[in-house]
Structure formats: structure tokens, C-alpha cells
Amino acid sequence: MPSPLFADRPAQPPEPGAVDALISQTSRLRGEVDAVRRDAAAHDDDPRRRWQRALCDLAMHQLDDLKAQFGQLRDGAPVVPLPEPRAEAPEEEDPVFDGSFTSDAGAAYGEPPARTGSLLTRVGSAEWNLLTDEVSWSEELFQIFGRSRERGPMSLDEMPTVVLSEDQPLLQAMVTDCLIDGKPIDGEFRIVRADAKVRTLHMTGEPVLDADGCTASMWAVLRDVSELRRSERAVRESRDSLERTRQIERTERRVAVELQEAVLPPWRGSLRFAHDGPAPLDVAGHYLPAASTGLIGGDWYDALALPCGDALLTVGDLTGHGVAATSSMAMLLGALRGMAVAGIRPGALMGHLNQLLESSGQPALGSAMCCRYDPVAQTLTWAQAGHPAPLLFRGGTGRPLRRPEGVLLGATAGVAYEETETRLRPGDVLVLHTDGLTRGADVFDETGVARLLDLAPRLSEARDAQECLRAVLEEFGEEAREDDACLMVVRVGS
């Protein structure tokens, strides 16, 4: 039965506590392997113990790699699973290892027969006798190098001929340091096999001294780490790609914020429209970002004094996020302002916006509401395109205004938008908002609208539009909303 350490990873990322437990279990297992390695090192004159120590070193390398990957998984870094070991040689029937050691090549180290497809097929051993020029390779090493058994093992002089030219100095330095200075070998180099495959080998080894303390031979364990290095490169590339994506998202957010700030009114406090009529307007607005995304959406709010003395009040919301949504919003809001200044009524204005959005190079859907307030007649004329109705608060109670007919902008070409008219009184408060403020599971969340209407006593007692806005934000501003929202409060003066 395989160890639970190496079981298949779940489809969903495990909880951090589970990953920490795996890291602890890996550390404990590494300690146990290290204890076996130290025991083998105490009898290093025995070739069998030398091979056992080499395998323990390999297992510790593997456990270190596994622990590092668990750490990346816990920290949220993208993890590319290590591939299953695979043999390069043609598949053969697995021999059964009975605990004894072979007398063939590699028997000097007591390694068991290779198990095709197992980890051992990627680990081989060699010894180069400097006194007799005899070379012995384990069977696994022939498989790693892709070299036929009939050709025999390679001498130290022949080894560089299969090593990539840029790695030859490294191999030469490792071998020289081992033979001349008695230093252990620990390094990697790449080889080109007879089948033209490039493999990366990790080589560890030590000199074997004679009775006079001179180097008599050199033994080494070579491990094919090609797949491991490929996985590590994939992890690095995934991490680099993720970082580039994050940089792009940060840049896009910055551009979207700058564009939004350049278009939306930079109000700080109330915006008062002074008219000759008896009922001027006091206006305050606010943008609320979404909690689930770092990108800015296409919501807008606007209040504009028109040349004729009327006031334009509008809120809207385009689908999408980021620069595309904010640029479309800027185009639409600019067109809306221009047509309102030219005297186009709300219903016809909605029709023009629908045509503009439907024929734009960046197709999108949008909801919008356009209101025109006449301070002399104290009337509010408005049209809407798939948008929540304004909420009217008067005398301590609130209610939605009756919505005229109107479909979403960009949904259907050539549709007409109805208008409706409402007479306002001094002290009235209007709340205009996009659906992100109150939206829940439904497009128009009745619960959210009911919560807004419950604010009627506070809004009626407020001194100005800014105080009304603060009351709404205290109720809705701290929520982790799924979409961004715009809110505008209008108070009719006396």
C-alpha cells in the first residue's frame, strides 16, 4: 500500500491545517531516513552500506522537494505536481526482489535488481578504479545513459563526450577535485543520449582511499532528475506568469480608477443647485466598490445644471469590469451629458443611448435612469432602461416611484422608452442607486429595497443630502457586495 504522503492530491486545495500536518509528517519521515543514513555512514567501508547511504541521500532529496512543494501549496503559490517516475528502457516484466543482492554489474554496492517504472530505474551507481582502469556500472546506469550493455561502461575520459559542452567544465572540476583533493562530488550536468534525448543528472560521489591514504578509486551515484527539473521550471514559469497577470491587473485597475475619477463628479459634500425657483436641489453621491473583485466596474452617477435652468440627475451601470467597462461608461456618460444640454428629453435620450451602445465597438448591456428636474414647476420627469426606480421619501415614509416601460440598453434596437412625471415638494428626498447596492440572489432584491425604505425616519430628519447619504452608507457601506454600486441622494430645498 502506498504511503499517504504520496497519495494523489485532491482536486480542491486542502485546508492550511491539513497541509501543515503533511509538512510535519514529511519532516518526521526525513528525520527517520537521516537516522538510517547515519547508521550506514558509520560502516562506509562496506560497499552495501555505501549504496544504502546513497539511497537514503536520494530519499532525503525527494522529501526536501516534497516539503518545499507542500510549502508552496500552503502559501498559495501555483504548484505543478511532480510527474510519476518513468523508465526510459523498454518495459520488461518486473523481477521480484527477495532481499538478496545480485552478482552482476553493481553488485559491489549490493543494489537490488531494477524495478521497471520505479524510482530505482532513475538511480544508478558506478566505480572507476584508478589502479586497474576497471570500470563497473550498475544496470540502471546503462538505462539512464541510454547505452547498450554490450558497449560496456564509460571511462572517466569518455564521460565528457556525452556531456553538453557548456557543462563539461563543471564535470571536469568535480572529478578533479575528487581525485586530486579528495573532495566529495555533488553537482548536476546534462547529457545527450544516443537517442538524442537530453537528460539532467545529479551526481554524488566520494574517493575511495587505499591503505596509504591515496585515492584508489572513485564511486558515484547518479540520479536522473530531468523530470524534477522540468517540474521546477514549470513552477517558476507558472509563478512568473501569475506575477505578470497580477501586474497587468494592477495596471488595469489603476487606469480604470483614473478614468472613473476623471469622469464622475469629484464631490466632497453636498452639491447645491441654486435656481431662481422656490425649490433648489441639494445633491450628494458616492461610489461603492465590490468586495469580490479588484476591478472597477461601469457604474456612474451624475448631476448637472442645464442651460435652461433644469437639473439632470442620472445613475447607470454597464456590464463588465476594468478599462473596457469604464471607457464605455465614459463614452455613454459623455453622450448623455451632451444630449441633455442640447435639450433632449429623458425618454428620447434613453433611446439614443440604446442605439449608441448597441452599435458600439465594445458590445455591452447597461441599465440607466435619467431624470430631469424643473425647479419652477417642481416636477421630476424621468425614464429608465431596466433600472431600479428612484425611492421617494416624504413625511417619514418611503416608496418607489412608478417605473415607466424601458428595456436594458444595448438589448434591442429601435425600442421606445416611456417617460413619467412626479411632482416633488420641499423636504422630499430621492434616493437613486444602481442595483449593486441592494442586489442579492435576485436582480432586484426586495429585502435590500425594504431596508432602504426603513431609513425613511432618518432621511426625513436629516439636515441635508450629505447627512442622508451617510445614513444610507452606515446601513449598506460596510457590506461585502458582489458588485460595485453608485448611490446618489437628492434633497429638495424650500
Side-chain angles (χ1 to χ4, degrees), residues 69-104:
Q69 281 215 327
F70 282 149
Q72 293 172 2
L73 186 62
R74 178 192 58 194
D75 299 337
V79 176
V80 177
L82 292 179
E84 292 296 325
R86 64 171 182 259
E88 296 294 341
E91 297 220 355
E92 300 174 357
E93 184 179 354
D94 285 354
V96 178
F97 177 51
D98 60 3
S100 63
F101 296 100
T102 66
S103 58
D104 296 332

PDB file of all heavy atoms in Angstrom, residues 69-104:
ATOM      1  N   GLN A  69       7.267  21.693  -1.943  1.00  0.00           N
ATOM      2  CA  GLN A  69       6.012  21.812  -2.690  1.00  0.00           C
ATOM      3  C   GLN A  69       4.823  21.975  -1.746  1.00  0.00           C
ATOM      4  O   GLN A  69       3.903  22.747  -2.029  1.00  0.00           O
ATOM      5  CB  GLN A  69       5.805  20.585  -3.575  1.00  0.00           C
ATOM      6  CG  GLN A  69       6.619  20.629  -4.862  1.00  0.00           C
ATOM      7  CD  GLN A  69       5.867  19.990  -6.011  1.00  0.00           C
ATOM      8  OE1 GLN A  69       5.106  19.046  -5.832  1.00  0.00           O
ATOM      9  NE2 GLN A  69       6.068  20.505  -7.202  1.00  0.00           N
ATOM     10  N   PHE A  70       4.837  21.272  -0.633  1.00  0.00           N
ATOM     11  CA  PHE A  70       3.758  21.461   0.342  1.00  0.00           C
ATOM     12  C   PHE A  70       3.763  22.896   0.857  1.00  0.00           C
ATOM     13  O   PHE A  70       2.707  23.493   1.087  1.00  0.00           O
ATOM     14  CB  PHE A  70       3.928  20.489   1.516  1.00  0.00           C
ATOM     15  CG  PHE A  70       3.481  19.084   1.207  1.00  0.00           C
ATOM     16  CD1 PHE A  70       4.093  17.986   1.806  1.00  0.00           C
ATOM     17  CD2 PHE A  70       2.449  18.844   0.319  1.00  0.00           C
ATOM     18  CE1 PHE A  70       3.680  16.702   1.530  1.00  0.00           C
ATOM     19  CE2 PHE A  70       2.034  17.556   0.027  1.00  0.00           C
ATOM     20  CZ  PHE A  70       2.647  16.486   0.635  1.00  0.00           C
ATOM     21  N   GLY A  71       4.965  23.472   1.050  1.00  0.00           N
ATOM     22  CA  GLY A  71       5.049  24.860   1.489  1.00  0.00           C
ATOM     23  C   GLY A  71       4.450  25.812   0.476  1.00  0.00           C
ATOM     24  O   GLY A  71       3.768  26.773   0.825  1.00  0.00           O
ATOM     25  N   GLN A  72       4.717  25.552  -0.816  1.00  0.00           N
ATOM     26  CA  GLN A  72       4.128  26.391  -1.867  1.00  0.00           C
ATOM     27  C   GLN A  72       2.614  26.256  -1.878  1.00  0.00           C
ATOM     28  O   GLN A  72       1.889  27.237  -2.062  1.00  0.00           O
ATOM     29  CB  GLN A  72       4.707  25.992  -3.213  1.00  0.00           C
ATOM     30  CG  GLN A  72       6.188  26.308  -3.370  1.00  0.00           C
ATOM     31  CD  GLN A  72       6.760  25.731  -4.639  1.00  0.00           C
ATOM     32  OE1 GLN A  72       6.041  25.122  -5.425  1.00  0.00           O
ATOM     33  NE2 GLN A  72       8.052  25.896  -4.841  1.00  0.00           N
ATOM     34  N   LEU A  73       2.123  25.035  -1.665  1.00  0.00           N
ATOM     35  CA  LEU A  73       0.683  24.810  -1.638  1.00  0.00           C
ATOM     36  C   LEU A  73       0.041  25.558  -0.476  1.00  0.00           C
ATOM     37  O   LEU A  73      -1.012  26.177  -0.610  1.00  0.00           O
ATOM     38  CB  LEU A  73       0.406  23.315  -1.521  1.00  0.00           C
ATOM     39  CG  LEU A  73      -1.052  22.871  -1.618  1.00  0.00           C
ATOM     40  CD1 LEU A  73      -1.627  23.222  -2.977  1.00  0.00           C
ATOM     41  CD2 LEU A  73      -1.156  21.377  -1.368  1.00  0.00           C
ATOM     42  N   ARG A  74       0.691  25.542   0.667  1.00  0.00           N
ATOM     43  CA  ARG A  74       0.163  26.248   1.841  1.00  0.00           C
ATOM     44  C   ARG A  74       0.167  27.753   1.631  1.00  0.00           C
ATOM     45  O   ARG A  74      -0.763  28.460   2.038  1.00  0.00           O
ATOM     46  CB  ARG A  74       1.013  25.899   3.066  1.00  0.00           C
ATOM     47  CG  ARG A  74       0.593  26.615   4.348  1.00  0.00           C
ATOM     48  CD  ARG A  74       1.647  26.434   5.424  1.00  0.00           C
ATOM     49  NE  ARG A  74       2.929  26.947   4.971  1.00  0.00           N
ATOM     50  CZ  ARG A  74       4.095  26.692   5.571  1.00  0.00           C
ATOM     51  NH1 ARG A  74       4.116  25.918   6.639  1.00  0.00           N
ATOM     52  NH2 ARG A  74       5.219  27.177   5.105  1.00  0.00           N
ATOM     53  N   ASP A  75       1.212  28.275   0.980  1.00  0.00           N
ATOM     54  CA  ASP A  75       1.345  29.721   0.782  1.00  0.00           C
ATOM     55  C   ASP A  75       0.550  30.244  -0.393  1.00  0.00           C
ATOM     56  O   ASP A  75       0.579  31.436  -0.690  1.00  0.00           O
ATOM     57  CB  ASP A  75       2.824  30.088   0.600  1.00  0.00           C
ATOM     58  CG  ASP A  75       3.659  29.733   1.821  1.00  0.00           C
ATOM     59  OD1 ASP A  75       3.065  29.637   2.916  1.00  0.00           O
ATOM     60  OD2 ASP A  75       4.881  29.559   1.690  1.00  0.00           O
ATOM     61  N   GLY A  76      -0.120  29.351  -1.129  1.00  0.00           N
ATOM     62  CA  GLY A  76      -0.961  29.793  -2.225  1.00  0.00           C
ATOM     63  C   GLY A  76      -0.259  29.916  -3.544  1.00  0.00           C
ATOM     64  O   GLY A  76      -0.835  30.389  -4.519  1.00  0.00           O
ATOM     65  N   ALA A  77       1.031  29.509  -3.638  1.00  0.00           N
ATOM     66  CA  ALA A  77       1.738  29.572  -4.916  1.00  0.00           C
ATOM     67  C   ALA A  77       1.251  28.451  -5.817  1.00  0.00           C
ATOM     68  O   ALA A  77       0.851  27.387  -5.347  1.00  0.00           O
ATOM     69  CB  ALA A  77       3.249  29.445  -4.694  1.00  0.00           C
ATOM     70  N   PRO A  78       1.261  28.678  -7.140  1.00  0.00           N
ATOM     71  CA  PRO A  78       0.846  27.607  -8.052  1.00  0.00           C
ATOM     72  C   PRO A  78       1.799  26.438  -7.977  1.00  0.00           C
ATOM     73  O   PRO A  78       3.007  26.607  -7.969  1.00  0.00           O
ATOM     74  CB  PRO A  78       0.894  28.276  -9.424  1.00  0.00           C
ATOM     75  CG  PRO A  78       1.853  29.397  -9.275  1.00  0.00           C
ATOM     76  CD  PRO A  78       1.717  29.878  -7.857  1.00  0.00           C
ATOM     77  N   VAL A  79       1.279  25.239  -7.876  1.00  0.00           N
ATOM     78  CA  VAL A  79       2.098  24.039  -7.752  1.00  0.00           C
ATOM     79  C   VAL A  79       1.882  23.146  -8.952  1.00  0.00           C
ATOM     80  O   VAL A  79       0.751  22.834  -9.307  1.00  0.00           O
ATOM     81  CB  VAL A  79       1.754  23.275  -6.449  1.00  0.00           C
ATOM     82  CG1 VAL A  79       2.540  21.989  -6.367  1.00  0.00           C
ATOM     83  CG2 VAL A  79       2.047  24.150  -5.241  1.00  0.00           C
ATOM     84  N   VAL A  80       2.952  22.759  -9.595  1.00  0.00           N
ATOM     85  CA  VAL A  80       2.880  21.789 -10.683  1.00  0.00           C
ATOM     86  C   VAL A  80       3.269  20.441 -10.114  1.00  0.00           C
ATOM     87  O   VAL A  80       4.388  20.265  -9.622  1.00  0.00           O
ATOM     88  CB  VAL A  80       3.830  22.173 -11.836  1.00  0.00           C
ATOM     89  CG1 VAL A  80       3.776  21.115 -12.916  1.00  0.00           C
ATOM     90  CG2 VAL A  80       3.456  23.534 -12.386  1.00  0.00           C
ATOM     91  N   PRO A  81       2.379  19.452 -10.093  1.00  0.00           N
ATOM     92  CA  PRO A  81       2.695  18.160  -9.478  1.00  0.00           C
ATOM     93  C   PRO A  81       3.891  17.506 -10.145  1.00  0.00           C
ATOM     94  O   PRO A  81       4.072  17.592 -11.357  1.00  0.00           O
ATOM     95  CB  PRO A  81       1.421  17.333  -9.708  1.00  0.00           C
ATOM     96  CG  PRO A  81       0.352  18.345  -9.995  1.00  0.00           C
ATOM     97  CD  PRO A  81       1.043  19.488 -10.649  1.00  0.00           C
ATOM     98  N   LEU A  82       4.718  16.865  -9.319  1.00  0.00           N
ATOM     99  CA  LEU A  82       5.850  16.131  -9.864  1.00  0.00           C
ATOM    100  C   LEU A  82       5.340  14.934 -10.654  1.00  0.00           C
ATOM    101  O   LEU A  82       4.415  14.242 -10.226  1.00  0.00           O
ATOM    102  CB  LEU A  82       6.746  15.638  -8.724  1.00  0.00           C
ATOM    103  CG  LEU A  82       7.486  16.735  -7.957  1.00  0.00           C
ATOM    104  CD1 LEU A  82       8.307  16.098  -6.854  1.00  0.00           C
ATOM    105  CD2 LEU A  82       8.360  17.568  -8.863  1.00  0.00           C
ATOM    106  N   PRO A  83       5.899  14.679 -11.816  1.00  0.00           N
ATOM    107  CA  PRO A  83       5.422  13.546 -12.615  1.00  0.00           C
ATOM    108  C   PRO A  83       5.822  12.225 -11.990  1.00  0.00           C
ATOM    109  O   PRO A  83       6.770  12.158 -11.228  1.00  0.00           O
ATOM    110  CB  PRO A  83       6.136  13.760 -13.955  1.00  0.00           C
ATOM    111  CG  PRO A  83       7.382  14.498 -13.598  1.00  0.00           C
ATOM    112  CD  PRO A  83       7.019  15.398 -12.437  1.00  0.00           C
ATOM    113  N   GLU A  84       5.081  11.217 -12.315  1.00  0.00           N
ATOM    114  CA  GLU A  84       5.437   9.882 -11.864  1.00  0.00           C
ATOM    115  C   GLU A  84       6.713   9.433 -12.555  1.00  0.00           C
ATOM    116  O   GLU A  84       6.930   9.729 -13.729  1.00  0.00           O
ATOM    117  CB  GLU A  84       4.313   8.902 -12.201  1.00  0.00           C
ATOM    118  CG  GLU A  84       3.045   9.139 -11.398  1.00  0.00           C
ATOM    119  CD  GLU A  84       3.261   8.905  -9.931  1.00  0.00           C
ATOM    120  OE1 GLU A  84       4.047   8.010  -9.584  1.00  0.00           O
ATOM    121  OE2 GLU A  84       2.654   9.627  -9.123  1.00  0.00           O
ATOM    122  N   PRO A  85       7.604   8.761 -11.844  1.00  0.00           N
ATOM    123  CA  PRO A  85       8.821   8.265 -12.493  1.00  0.00           C
ATOM    124  C   PRO A  85       8.486   7.342 -13.650  1.00  0.00           C
ATOM    125  O   PRO A  85       7.535   6.574 -13.582  1.00  0.00           O
ATOM    126  CB  PRO A  85       9.528   7.500 -11.357  1.00  0.00           C
ATOM    127  CG  PRO A  85       8.913   8.015 -10.098  1.00  0.00           C
ATOM    128  CD  PRO A  85       7.517   8.399 -10.433  1.00  0.00           C
ATOM    129  N   ARG A  86       9.260   7.431 -14.705  1.00  0.00           N
ATOM    130  CA  ARG A  86       9.042   6.525 -15.823  1.00  0.00           C
ATOM    131  C   ARG A  86      10.381   6.034 -16.347  1.00  0.00           C
ATOM    132  O   ARG A  86      11.363   6.767 -16.369  1.00  0.00           O
ATOM    133  CB  ARG A  86       8.235   7.204 -16.930  1.00  0.00           C
ATOM    134  CG  ARG A  86       8.908   8.382 -17.583  1.00  0.00           C
ATOM    135  CD  ARG A  86       8.075   8.811 -18.806  1.00  0.00           C
ATOM    136  NE  ARG A  86       8.693   9.913 -19.504  1.00  0.00           N
ATOM    137  CZ  ARG A  86       8.316  11.160 -19.387  1.00  0.00           C
ATOM    138  NH1 ARG A  86       7.337  11.458 -18.560  1.00  0.00           N
ATOM    139  NH2 ARG A  86       8.912  12.104 -20.069  1.00  0.00           N
ATOM    140  N   ALA A  87      10.417   4.818 -16.770  1.00  0.00           N
ATOM    141  CA  ALA A  87      11.650   4.219 -17.258  1.00  0.00           C
ATOM    142  C   ALA A  87      11.871   4.586 -18.702  1.00  0.00           C
ATOM    143  O   ALA A  87      10.943   4.725 -19.483  1.00  0.00           O
ATOM    144  CB  ALA A  87      11.571   2.694 -17.122  1.00  0.00           C
ATOM    145  N   GLU A  88      13.138   4.770 -19.063  1.00  0.00           N
ATOM    146  CA  GLU A  88      13.472   5.063 -20.452  1.00  0.00           C
ATOM    147  C   GLU A  88      13.619   3.794 -21.269  1.00  0.00           C
ATOM    148  O   GLU A  88      13.444   3.789 -22.473  1.00  0.00           O
ATOM    149  CB  GLU A  88      14.775   5.863 -20.499  1.00  0.00           C
ATOM    150  CG  GLU A  88      14.687   7.236 -19.833  1.00  0.00           C
ATOM    151  CD  GLU A  88      13.746   8.164 -20.557  1.00  0.00           C
ATOM    152  OE1 GLU A  88      13.449   7.901 -21.733  1.00  0.00           O
ATOM    153  OE2 GLU A  88      13.293   9.146 -19.973  1.00  0.00           O
ATOM    154  N   ALA A  89      13.965   2.693 -20.597  1.00  0.00           N
ATOM    155  CA  ALA A  89      14.187   1.444 -21.319  1.00  0.00           C
ATOM    156  C   ALA A  89      12.859   0.790 -21.635  1.00  0.00           C
ATOM    157  O   ALA A  89      11.849   1.060 -21.006  1.00  0.00           O
ATOM    158  CB  ALA A  89      15.044   0.498 -20.473  1.00  0.00           C
ATOM    159  N   PRO A  90      12.814  -0.107 -22.640  1.00  0.00           N
ATOM    160  CA  PRO A  90      11.575  -0.829 -22.934  1.00  0.00           C
ATOM    161  C   PRO A  90      11.105  -1.579 -21.713  1.00  0.00           C
ATOM    162  O   PRO A  90      11.895  -2.092 -20.921  1.00  0.00           O
ATOM    163  CB  PRO A  90      11.980  -1.788 -24.067  1.00  0.00           C
ATOM    164  CG  PRO A  90      13.191  -1.164 -24.683  1.00  0.00           C
ATOM    165  CD  PRO A  90      13.900  -0.472 -23.564  1.00  0.00           C
ATOM    166  N   GLU A  91       9.783  -1.658 -21.563  1.00  0.00           N
ATOM    167  CA  GLU A  91       9.218  -2.287 -20.384  1.00  0.00           C
ATOM    168  C   GLU A  91       9.496  -3.777 -20.382  1.00  0.00           C
ATOM    169  O   GLU A  91       9.432  -4.454 -21.403  1.00  0.00           O
ATOM    170  CB  GLU A  91       7.712  -2.035 -20.315  1.00  0.00           C
ATOM    171  CG  GLU A  91       7.361  -0.579 -20.174  1.00  0.00           C
ATOM    172  CD  GLU A  91       6.213  -0.392 -19.215  1.00  0.00           C
ATOM    173  OE1 GLU A  91       5.660  -1.391 -18.752  1.00  0.00           O
ATOM    174  OE2 GLU A  91       5.890   0.765 -18.925  1.00  0.00           O
ATOM    175  N   GLU A  92       9.855  -4.272 -19.197  1.00  0.00           N
ATOM    176  CA  GLU A  92      10.092  -5.687 -19.002  1.00  0.00           C
ATOM    177  C   GLU A  92       9.274  -6.140 -17.814  1.00  0.00           C
ATOM    178  O   GLU A  92       8.792  -5.344 -17.016  1.00  0.00           O
ATOM    179  CB  GLU A  92      11.580  -5.943 -18.747  1.00  0.00           C
ATOM    180  CG  GLU A  92      12.483  -5.492 -19.905  1.00  0.00           C
ATOM    181  CD  GLU A  92      13.938  -5.625 -19.534  1.00  0.00           C
ATOM    182  OE1 GLU A  92      14.215  -6.003 -18.384  1.00  0.00           O
ATOM    183  OE2 GLU A  92      14.790  -5.362 -20.382  1.00  0.00           O
ATOM    184  N   GLU A  93       9.133  -7.421 -17.705  1.00  0.00           N
ATOM    185  CA  GLU A  93       8.410  -7.945 -16.551  1.00  0.00           C
ATOM    186  C   GLU A  93       9.189  -7.638 -15.287  1.00  0.00           C
ATOM    187  O   GLU A  93      10.404  -7.820 -15.216  1.00  0.00           O
ATOM    188  CB  GLU A  93       8.238  -9.454 -16.702  1.00  0.00           C
ATOM    189  CG  GLU A  93       7.411 -10.069 -15.570  1.00  0.00           C
ATOM    190  CD  GLU A  93       7.253 -11.545 -15.766  1.00  0.00           C
ATOM    191  OE1 GLU A  93       7.679 -12.056 -16.839  1.00  0.00           O
ATOM    192  OE2 GLU A  93       6.701 -12.191 -14.866  1.00  0.00           O
ATOM    193  N   ASP A  94       8.495  -7.113 -14.273  1.00  0.00           N
ATOM    194  CA  ASP A  94       9.156  -6.734 -13.039  1.00  0.00           C
ATOM    195  C   ASP A  94       9.741  -7.950 -12.347  1.00  0.00           C
ATOM    196  O   ASP A  94       9.024  -8.917 -12.053  1.00  0.00           O
ATOM    197  CB  ASP A  94       8.164  -6.068 -12.080  1.00  0.00           C
ATOM    198  CG  ASP A  94       7.843  -4.657 -12.518  1.00  0.00           C
ATOM    199  OD1 ASP A  94       8.468  -4.201 -13.479  1.00  0.00           O
ATOM    200  OD2 ASP A  94       6.965  -4.030 -11.882  1.00  0.00           O
ATOM    201  N   PRO A  95      11.041  -7.930 -12.060  1.00  0.00           N
ATOM    202  CA  PRO A  95      11.595  -9.015 -11.267  1.00  0.00           C
ATOM    203  C   PRO A  95      11.177  -8.881  -9.819  1.00  0.00           C
ATOM    204  O   PRO A  95      10.860  -7.813  -9.358  1.00  0.00           O
ATOM    205  CB  PRO A  95      13.114  -8.825 -11.424  1.00  0.00           C
ATOM    206  CG  PRO A  95      13.274  -7.357 -11.682  1.00  0.00           C
ATOM    207  CD  PRO A  95      12.053  -6.947 -12.442  1.00  0.00           C
ATOM    208  N   VAL A  96      11.171  -9.972  -9.120  1.00  0.00           N
ATOM    209  CA  VAL A  96      10.796  -9.959  -7.713  1.00  0.00           C
ATOM    210  C   VAL A  96      12.062  -9.883  -6.885  1.00  0.00           C
ATOM    211  O   VAL A  96      12.964 -10.709  -7.021  1.00  0.00           O
ATOM    212  CB  VAL A  96       9.989 -11.228  -7.351  1.00  0.00           C
ATOM    213  CG1 VAL A  96       9.659 -11.217  -5.869  1.00  0.00           C
ATOM    214  CG2 VAL A  96       8.720 -11.298  -8.199  1.00  0.00           C
ATOM    215  N   PHE A  97      12.132  -8.877  -6.035  1.00  0.00           N
ATOM    216  CA  PHE A  97      13.313  -8.721  -5.184  1.00  0.00           C
ATOM    217  C   PHE A  97      13.093  -9.489  -3.883  1.00  0.00           C
ATOM    218  O   PHE A  97      12.141  -9.231  -3.143  1.00  0.00           O
ATOM    219  CB  PHE A  97      13.533  -7.230  -4.890  1.00  0.00           C
ATOM    220  CG  PHE A  97      14.686  -6.973  -3.961  1.00  0.00           C
ATOM    221  CD1 PHE A  97      15.925  -7.528  -4.211  1.00  0.00           C
ATOM    222  CD2 PHE A  97      14.509  -6.161  -2.851  1.00  0.00           C
ATOM    223  CE1 PHE A  97      16.987  -7.265  -3.364  1.00  0.00           C
ATOM    224  CE2 PHE A  97      15.571  -5.914  -2.013  1.00  0.00           C
ATOM    225  CZ  PHE A  97      16.808  -6.442  -2.257  1.00  0.00           C
ATOM    226  N   ASP A  98      13.955 -10.441  -3.623  1.00  0.00           N
ATOM    227  CA  ASP A  98      13.770 -11.304  -2.456  1.00  0.00           C
ATOM    228  C   ASP A  98      14.647 -10.906  -1.292  1.00  0.00           C
ATOM    229  O   ASP A  98      14.761 -11.631  -0.305  1.00  0.00           O
ATOM    230  CB  ASP A  98      14.057 -12.764  -2.843  1.00  0.00           C
ATOM    231  CG  ASP A  98      15.485 -12.940  -3.360  1.00  0.00           C
ATOM    232  OD1 ASP A  98      16.239 -11.934  -3.345  1.00  0.00           O
ATOM    233  OD2 ASP A  98      15.820 -14.068  -3.766  1.00  0.00           O
ATOM    234  N   GLY A  99      15.272  -9.724  -1.384  1.00  0.00           N
ATOM    235  CA  GLY A  99      16.114  -9.261  -0.276  1.00  0.00           C
ATOM    236  C   GLY A  99      17.574  -9.591  -0.476  1.00  0.00           C
ATOM    237  O   GLY A  99      18.428  -9.097   0.243  1.00  0.00           O
ATOM    238  N   SER A 100      17.914 -10.447  -1.435  1.00  0.00           N
ATOM    239  CA  SER A 100      19.311 -10.762  -1.699  1.00  0.00           C
ATOM    240  C   SER A 100      19.876  -9.758  -2.680  1.00  0.00           C
ATOM    241  O   SER A 100      19.157  -8.960  -3.273  1.00  0.00           O
ATOM    242  CB  SER A 100      19.423 -12.174  -2.265  1.00  0.00           C
ATOM    243  OG  SER A 100      18.740 -12.252  -3.501  1.00  0.00           O
ATOM    244  N   PHE A 101      21.183  -9.789  -2.888  1.00  0.00           N
ATOM    245  CA  PHE A 101      21.861  -8.876  -3.793  1.00  0.00           C
ATOM    246  C   PHE A 101      22.398  -9.643  -4.995  1.00  0.00           C
ATOM    247  O   PHE A 101      22.779 -10.800  -4.901  1.00  0.00           O
ATOM    248  CB  PHE A 101      23.010  -8.163  -3.066  1.00  0.00           C
ATOM    249  CG  PHE A 101      22.534  -7.281  -1.950  1.00  0.00           C
ATOM    250  CD1 PHE A 101      22.598  -7.720  -0.638  1.00  0.00           C
ATOM    251  CD2 PHE A 101      22.001  -6.042  -2.212  1.00  0.00           C
ATOM    252  CE1 PHE A 101      22.166  -6.912   0.390  1.00  0.00           C
ATOM    253  CE2 PHE A 101      21.565  -5.228  -1.178  1.00  0.00           C
ATOM    254  CZ  PHE A 101      21.648  -5.666   0.125  1.00  0.00           C
ATOM    255  N   THR A 102      22.414  -8.961  -6.127  1.00  0.00           N
ATOM    256  CA  THR A 102      22.860  -9.605  -7.351  1.00  0.00           C
ATOM    257  C   THR A 102      24.374  -9.657  -7.402  1.00  0.00           C
ATOM    258  O   THR A 102      25.069  -8.955  -6.698  1.00  0.00           O
ATOM    259  CB  THR A 102      22.342  -8.824  -8.569  1.00  0.00           C
ATOM    260  OG1 THR A 102      22.973  -7.553  -8.586  1.00  0.00           O
ATOM    261  CG2 THR A 102      20.838  -8.638  -8.511  1.00  0.00           C
ATOM    262  N   SER A 103      24.847 -10.493  -8.313  1.00  0.00           N
ATOM    263  CA  SER A 103      26.290 -10.591  -8.520  1.00  0.00           C
ATOM    264  C   SER A 103      26.688  -9.991  -9.860  1.00  0.00           C
ATOM    265  O   SER A 103      27.828 -10.121 -10.275  1.00  0.00           O
ATOM    266  CB  SER A 103      26.715 -12.074  -8.484  1.00  0.00           C
ATOM    267  OG  SER A 103      25.996 -12.790  -9.476  1.00  0.00           O
ATOM    268  N   ASP A 104      25.722  -9.317 -10.531  1.00  0.00           N
ATOM    269  CA  ASP A 104      26.025  -8.673 -11.802  1.00  0.00           C
ATOM    270  C   ASP A 104      26.602  -7.294 -11.561  1.00  0.00           C
ATOM    271  O   ASP A 104      27.040  -6.969 -10.467  1.00  0.00           O
ATOM    272  CB  ASP A 104      24.746  -8.588 -12.648  1.00  0.00           C
ATOM    273  CG  ASP A 104      24.240  -9.972 -13.015  1.00  0.00           C
ATOM    274  OD1 ASP A 104      25.085 -10.885 -13.099  1.00  0.00           O
ATOM    275  OD2 ASP A 104      23.016 -10.129 -13.192  1.00  0.00           O
TER     276      ASP A 104
END
